[in-house]
Amino acid sequence: MSPSGIPRGGPPLTEAEAEDLLRCICFKTGPPRTVGVELEWLVHELRDPRLPVRPPRLAAALDTVRALPLVSALTFEPGGQLELSSRPAGSLMECLDSLAADLAAVRAALGPLGLTLSGYGVDPWHAPRGRVLHEPRYDAMETALNRTGPAGRAMMCESASVQVCLDAGLEEPGPLGYHRRWRLAHLLGAVLVAAFANSPVHGGRRTGWRSTRQALWAELDPRRTLAPPPDGEPRAEWAAHVLDTPVMCVRAEEGPWAVPEGLTFREWLRTGLPRPADADDLRYHMTTLFPPVRPRGHLELRMMDAQPGRDGWMVPVAVTTAVFDDPEAAETAYRAVKPLAELAGPGPAPRNPLWLTAARDGLADPELHAAARAVFSAALDALPRIGASEGVRRAVAAFHERYVIPGGCPADDLQVVTS
């Protein structure tokens, strides 16, 4: 390994080897058993979130948090957003309880420093927000994403989400089969965007979107944020998508990383330029793809805004887990969202009409509203079967009554005072 942690030249990878590797590692099938969550939070002033947190003060606070003995993995996004990633848990409650304990420890450490964690899909007050982290990866990412406008910088520095990680599913057909779960994720994903939209204000201004965060993802890059075609064989479609997406950067042991323009990974393999690509380059390339559902052995569902309140994040985690991992709820949810395919059309998420409507209108759209009501009802029925606590069931029921039944979302509550 080099001092930078970048491998010193593994054997060059052929195109056929790359395709085989992708098919093997991206959908690892078996009975759905584990749940994981990645929570991103904005860090704000406790006394007045409209006040900017200066970079030196933020850096000192992050150093304090790094010293905590957490179970979850702790990382920071380029704008200083704090991220906690749970370990794979054997049940919904194991995951929720572990993350809740770590969050309590982080909040207890930040409070005396006058800082707090805020759950919004994008920062309502501060835009543009500069990068706090200056590393070769983020330098290269900003250069690449700047080619398509300011959405990339906003995504890097001003956005936060709730991401749910679930097993890919069984090899065989049925409600828990990986093919069905892949299809379900791309239709249900739009319902989750709409129900949990929580970013109607960015930089002190209303944007016209209930989920500005999702709108930024749709604007971000011509290909990097897109899902592959939804109706093909998932392994083959994903492998082709990975290889035909342009490379964000070519890592180097020393100095800045190259940021080629328009060089797909397939072309890199075929030409061997600017240097031969190896298996680690392919694995790294996959981390620079940002579709709404990303297969990494398991499925990462990446489309939900960060949620308000101390425990609001638990609701999307509980609902998503229930309708994916309980067979009866999975079948009900699939029947509820299947008609949305007509609204989606042939285009990929998140740029097709279904996903754009979800981000703009939330559950005010009648078709998404009808689907959400069926999905949440199925989740509420399933939560006792998957061992959800009474507190979690009450939280989901309260969200259902407050937002889903009348056709609203957290974005409808957000009133930001800018001065």
Side-chain angles (χ1 to χ4, degrees):
M1 297 287 287
S2 73
S4 64
I6 300 166
R8 294 185 186 274
L13 193 66
T14 68
E15 189 174 343
E17 289 169 340
E19 290 176 343
D20 288 344
L21 182 60
L22 288 167
R23 289 191 177 99
C24 289
I25 65 176
C26 290
F27 292 89
K28 295 181 179 178
T29 54
R33 291 194 178 100
T34 56
V35 182
V37 178
E38 298 176 18
L39 298 179
E40 297 171 345
W41 300 88
L42 302 169
V43 180
H44 280 149
E45 281 279 359
L46 181 60
R47 61 190 176 95
D48 187 346
R50 295 171 297 175
L51 299 175
V53 181
R54 300 300 178 192
R57 183 162 170 241
L58 180 58
L62 300 184
D63 286 341
T64 298
V65 175
R66 284 189 182 97
L68 296 173
L70 304 175
V71 175
S72 308
L74 173 72
T75 54
F76 299 96
E77 295 298 307
Q81 308 98 307
L82 183 149
E83 180 176 322
L84 286 175
S85 301
S86 75
R87 292 179 178 177
S91 70
L92 171 66
M93 291 313 303
E94 179 187 338
C95 182
L96 296 183
D97 289 344
S98 176
L99 262 178
D102 283 346
L103 273 171
V106 170
R107 289 188 172 108
L110 291 177
L113 303 177
L115 298 174
T116 188
L117 300 179
S118 297
Y120 302 101
V122 296
D123 197 316
W125 295 281
H126 309 121
R129 200 174 189 177
R131 269 197 298 141
V132 174
L133 300 183
H134 295 276
E135 302 171 359
R137 170 183 171 90
Y138 296 125
D139 294 344
M141 183 181 293
E142 184 168 347
T143 298
L145 296 181
N146 276 349
R147 291 170 178 159
T148 53
R153 293 192 301 276
M155 177 276 293
M156 292 172 67
C157 299
E158 299 150 24
S159 69
S161 68
V162 176
Q163 299 181 22
V164 182
C165 300
L166 299 167
D167 289 323
L170 299 168
E171 190 73 32
E172 57 264 24
L176 299 185
Y178 84 96
H179 199 295
R180 168 73 72 84
R181 286 161 74 86
W182 179 247
R183 177 67 168 155
L184 173 64
H186 288 90
L187 294 173
L188 177 65
V191 177
L192 299 176
V193 168
F196 296 110
N198 187 38
S199 50
V201 179
H202 188 207
R205 297 183 178 181
R206 292 201 167 268
T207 64
W209 298 85
R210 283 174 169 82
S211 178
T212 302
R213 175 184 168 277
Q214 189 58 50
L216 289 171
W217 281 110
E219 183 184 346
L220 188 62
D221 185 280
R223 186 167 176 84
R224 191 170 308 282
T225 61
L226 295 184
D231 294 324
E233 201 289 313
R235 287 189 176 101
E237 294 290 358
W238 178 250
H241 181 71
V242 171
L243 295 180
D244 291 330
T245 297
V247 171
M248 176 174 281
C249 55
V250 177
R251 297 172 299 160
E253 293 183 12
E254 297 179 356
W257 295 357
V259 187
E261 189 165 4
L263 174 70
T264 69
F265 201 90
R266 193 185 301 278
E267 292 167 338
W268 188 9
L269 291 171
R270 289 176 175 177
T271 64
L273 298 173
R275 61 166 174 78
D278 60 25
D280 193 65
D281 289 315
L282 178 59
R283 292 186 182 94
Y284 185 83
H285 172 61
M286 284 189 286
T287 72
T288 70
L289 274 60
F290 309 121
V293 185
R294 186 163 64 181
R296 302 186 70 179
H298 57 275
L299 301 181
E300 290 180 347
L301 282 79
R302 304 165 46 84
M303 69 286 297
M304 290 172 280
D305 285 354
Q307 295 297 288
R310 295 180 67 85
D311 298 325
W313 60 274
M314 292 187 180
V315 175
V317 177
V319 169
T320 305
T321 304
V323 297
F324 268 85
D325 286 2
D326 179 82
E328 183 179 337
E331 187 62 36
T332 300
Y334 186 71
R335 288 199 302 267
V337 301
K338 192 174 180 181
L340 298 176
E342 185 174 346
L343 176 58
R351 292 187 177 182
N352 65 40
L354 172 65
W355 281 69
L356 293 175
T357 297
R360 183 183 61 247
D361 299 336
L363 296 186
D365 176 80
E367 292 177 84
L368 285 163
H369 184 208
R373 292 186 66 161
V375 166
F376 271 74
S377 293
L380 284 165
D381 289 343
L383 285 172
R385 297 194 293 268
I386 65 171
S389 69
E390 184 179 349
V392 169
R393 298 199 303 268
R394 284 200 305 265
V396 174
F399 188 99
H400 180 236
E401 184 174 345
R402 181 174 181 177
Y403 296 116
V404 179
I405 291 175
C409 60
D412 299 330
D413 295 342
L414 186 56
Q415 301 294 327
V416 172
V417 178
T418 58
S419 61

